[in-house]
Amino acid sequence: MAQSTLQRLKELTTQLEVSEHSESLLALRLKTVLDAVGAAVWDWEIGSDILRWDSKMVKLFDYEDTRFKTDDEGWFLLKYKHFISRVHPEDRRRVQDKIDACLSDNIPYRITYRVIDKDGNEHLVIQASGDVHSTTSKPERLVGVCIALETGAFNV
């Protein structure tokens, strides 16, 4: 019996090693794709209002990366107000309406909007995409990517 338990433990260890290798390979592939398309990644914990941005998001929204704390994985920690304050004032209501619909109807978040810089000038145009994630009936997270578009690619 001890031999079969030891054998099963070896099998489980091998499965875990394969799983960790696959996860690492998947993360590498995802990073390659994100870098290739110039995508910035964001993750919003809705209940606690914690936004996690990668360094590309911080740059897209014209923030200094020294302004925000980071977590143990290197994600910049912001609040929703930091995001919405850099959305062009003429686009804020539309962006908020899209987020509200996404959260209430569990639909994908897909939108194009303008971003302003720290001085309030139009900075660039963003194509944003995200999806709701939840383990309950209430939305817990909205996770997605942003890609900068050419300024002329946007019509209000």
Side-chain angles (χ1 to χ4, degrees), residues 1-8:
M1 179 139 174
Q3 183 61 28
S4 64
T5 302
L6 182 59
Q7 183 61 31
R8 182 67 183 138

Side-chain angles (χ1 to χ4, degrees), residues 18-136:
V18 169
S19 176
E20 287 174 350
H21 174 74
S22 297
E23 189 175 303
S24 175
L25 189 56
L26 180 62
L28 178 62
R29 289 175 179 155
L30 178 60
K31 182 185 179 318
T32 301
V33 170
L34 292 171
D35 288 346
V37 298
V41 179
W42 51 270
D43 177 352
W44 179 32
E45 287 181 33
I46 300 160
S48 60
D49 188 28
I50 295 175
L51 267 170
R52 285 181 173 79
W53 282 4
D54 68 2
S55 61
K56 290 178 190 169
M57 281 292 295
V58 173
K59 288 179 182 132
L60 285 178
F61 282 76
D62 194 37
Y63 278 117
E64 298 293 325
D65 58 6
T66 55
R67 177 173 179 180
F68 304 108
K69 294 180 182 179
T70 57
D71 66 11
D72 293 340
E73 296 177 350
W75 292 89
F76 292 90
L77 304 174
L78 300 86
K79 296 289 186 184
Y80 181 82
K81 68 181 182 181
H82 296 114
F83 156 70
I84 202 68
S85 70
R86 291 294 171 94
V87 173
H88 193 287
E90 294 174 7
D91 299 342
R92 285 181 190 152
R93 179 77 265 154
R94 192 171 50 80
V95 169
Q96 187 61 58
D97 289 347
K98 183 64 86 168
I99 290 170
D100 291 345
C102 177
L103 296 178
S104 66
D105 301 334
N106 195 23
I107 59 173
Y109 175 69
R110 309 287 187 264
I111 192 166
T112 302
Y113 56 88
R114 294 169 290 178
V115 172
I116 58 175
D117 63 19
K118 60 186 170 215
D119 298 320
N121 302 311
E122 190 171 319
H123 176 56
L124 50 84
V125 176
I126 296 284
Q127 173 67 51
S129 180
D131 291 295
V132 174
H133 295 269
S134 181
T135 57
T136 66

